[in-house]
Amino acid sequence: MSDKTPVCLFWHRRDLRIHDNAGLAAALASGLPVLLLFIYDSDILDHLPEKADSRLTYIYDEVEGLAAATAAAGGTFLARYGQPLAVFEQLLKEFDIAAVHTNEDYEPYARQRDTAVGELLARHRVDFLQYKDQVLFAKDEILTKSGTVPKLFGAYLKSYLALLAPEMLHPYGSAGAFVPANLHHASATLAQRPTLQSMGFERGGQLTTKAQLPPESVVRNYHNTRNTPANERGTSRESVHLRFGTLSVREVLRQAEALNKKLTSEIIWRDFFMMLLWHFPHTATESYDPKMRHVPYRNNEEEFRAWCAGRTGYPLVDAGMRELNATGYMPNRVRMTVAGFLTKHLFIDWRWGEKYFADKLFDYDMANNVGNWQWMAGTGAISAPWFRVYSPESQLEKVDPELKYVKRWVPEVGTAAYGKPIVDHKFARERAVEAIRAARNETA
Ligand SMILES: Cc1cc2nc3c(=O)[nH]c(=O)nc-3n(C[C@H](O)[C@H](O)[C@H](O)COP(=O)(O)OP(=O)(O)OC[C@H]3O[C@@H](n4cnc5c(N)ncnc54)[C@H](O)[C@@H]3O)c2cc1C
């Protein structure tokens, strides 16, 4: 018999919040005192390219905030650094753990990690319970009438909205008991949380938007303003909070449902791409369409560097890349333009661009990033047709005719200091279309 008090653990991952959290609500309802846990996963951290990483800084601040809030409520928040399996092996020695609760994560690495952790816990007869929290519909909950994976967004959206009952958007409660800070004899270790420095990092840039719902006026106007990059409050700016779970998908959908159906459908794209990545995990690194796997991309490194730095001579592309480099954000329409330009005009493999975005985007999310890159490259389960090549000049005329956005990021535009286009649009379009057509073995 253990002399320790049995506890249950709630493991936070992409859900850095106490409120409206499906797995945490279940843990608190279990009747056992709940110990909160976050693991700084060394397998992920070791691959970060910069020592001053904005996203890690954000996570760190949020974890510290949660720890302070938990302490104020008389509870305990554990934060550990290491490989998740090793951390759990240690925790099993320190505590009498009755169960571990957590929310599902659909990325390929997370699924492997969770399988391994589940096996370890099972060997110790500890339940590992996972809940759907970051989406409303997951895995194969929405299929086509013939039982296949939906690949048309319109049909998926229709089924989604038909199945979306209002009570599914109700927030989960957070009533229950945390593990009191003085409960456990090893409490000396409880308060020791890693710091950025102890993990070998420094503070990175700060995020400017707060974890709160966008103002009602922004949401009401969303359908008019979403494609105007000069308007910094033209969109919800909630992607980063959905990524880290500092807002819940239920609260953002509740607001959108009440005020703007266009925003609802955009948020549902996120569920859609997560569903696709769960069904087709190999698409994280490979084109979904087998006919697009042997496209002879040029992959010119100098041109890639010019794209990364915002020096292509196409103002909208350059403005977007410079905004990304400076802030970790880029508006959706501009993301589409720079992605189309890289994969078609420069004819560079979408995976190069996907990786660059993954390193730089504050809201980087594998399912959304891969899904959108494959869309733009014409390689995905759902895609723009492979032969569609958007002109960055006509995009600019549509979304920023007065160059307000462009001038913010490329002040030298229109002067002799601004470089010439790196490639001619018409020439580049024909080059890409012909090469892809040949690789697909198709005739014009
Ligand atoms: C090449 C490319 C890469 C992208 N990479 C990412 C990424 O890594 N992470 C990410 O969150 N979004 C990504 N997007 C989608 C989209 O650009 C961002 O979600 C959006 O710009 C974030 O700003 P917002 O929150 O103000 O969006 P809003 O327009 O206010 O939309 C609200 C929410 O809906 C969801 N959403 C909107 N558009 C899309 C979309 N096309 N695909 C999936 N979800 C969407 C997001 O969760 C977003 O926060 C990418 C788009 C492109 C074209």
Side-chain angles (χ1 to χ4, degrees), residues 55 307 321 324 330 334-335 338-339 352-362 364 369 373:
R55 291 165 299 190
W307 177 84
M321 295 309 292
L324 175 68
M330 197 194 297
V334 190
R335 291 186 203 200
V338 306
W352 290 34
E354 197 276 335
K355 165 85 173 62
Y356 191 74
F357 269 33
D359 288 345
K360 294 281 172 183
L361 276 177
F362 219 128
Y364 165 62
N369 204 41
W373 271 98

Side-chain angles (χ1 to χ4, degrees), residues 96 108 113 134 149 198 224 229 249 251 279 296 363 408 437:
D96 180 1
R113 174 199 62 201
Q134 58 168 315
V149 180
S198 74
N224 294 321
V249 68
E251 61 187 322
H279 281 285
D363 64 19
R408 192 178 301 152
R437 198 190 303 284

Side-chain angles (χ1 to χ4, degrees), residues 314 316 337 345 389-397 425:
Y314 282 93
L316 192 58
T337 304
H345 293 82
V389 181
Y390 295 96
S391 149
E393 290 295 352
S394 20
Q395 284 300 314
L396 178 63
E397 275 161 36
H425 166 66

Side-chain angles (χ1 to χ4, degrees), residues 140 142-151 275 279-280:
D140 49 11
I142 295 181
L143 293 174
T144 63
K145 285 206 181 79
S146 49
T148 57
V149 180
K151 296 194 199 102
M275 178 278 296
H279 281 285
F280 310 117

Side-chain angles (χ1 to χ4, degrees), residues 406-428:
V406 159
K407 287 211 168 127
R408 192 178 301 152
W409 296 105
V410 191
E412 76 275 22
V413 86
T415 72
Y418 187 58
K420 297 247 169 323
I422 190 171
V423 67
D424 172 68
H425 166 66
K426 193 163 168 286
F427 162 79

Side-chain angles (χ1 to χ4, degrees), residues 222 226 233-240 242-243 263-271 273 329-339 357-358 361 363-376:
Y222 176 76
R226 58 189 287 264
R233 283 303 346 221
T235 60
S236 72
R237 300 302 283 256
E238 55 204 12
S239 52
V240 84
L242 287 168
R243 166 65 187 87
L263 182 58
T264 300
S265 68
E266 290 304 303
I267 296 168
I268 293 173
W269 272 103
R270 176 178 165 276
D271 281 35
F273 282 131
Y329 184 78
M330 197 194 297
N332 183 59
R333 198 35 61 175
V334 190
R335 291 186 203 200
M336 292 173 72
T337 304
V338 306
F357 269 33
L361 276 177
D363 64 19
Y364 165 62
D365 174 277
M366 181 185 276
N368 282 350
N369 204 41
V370 164
N372 278 288
W373 271 98
Q374 293 225 32
W375 167 288
M376 288 309 301

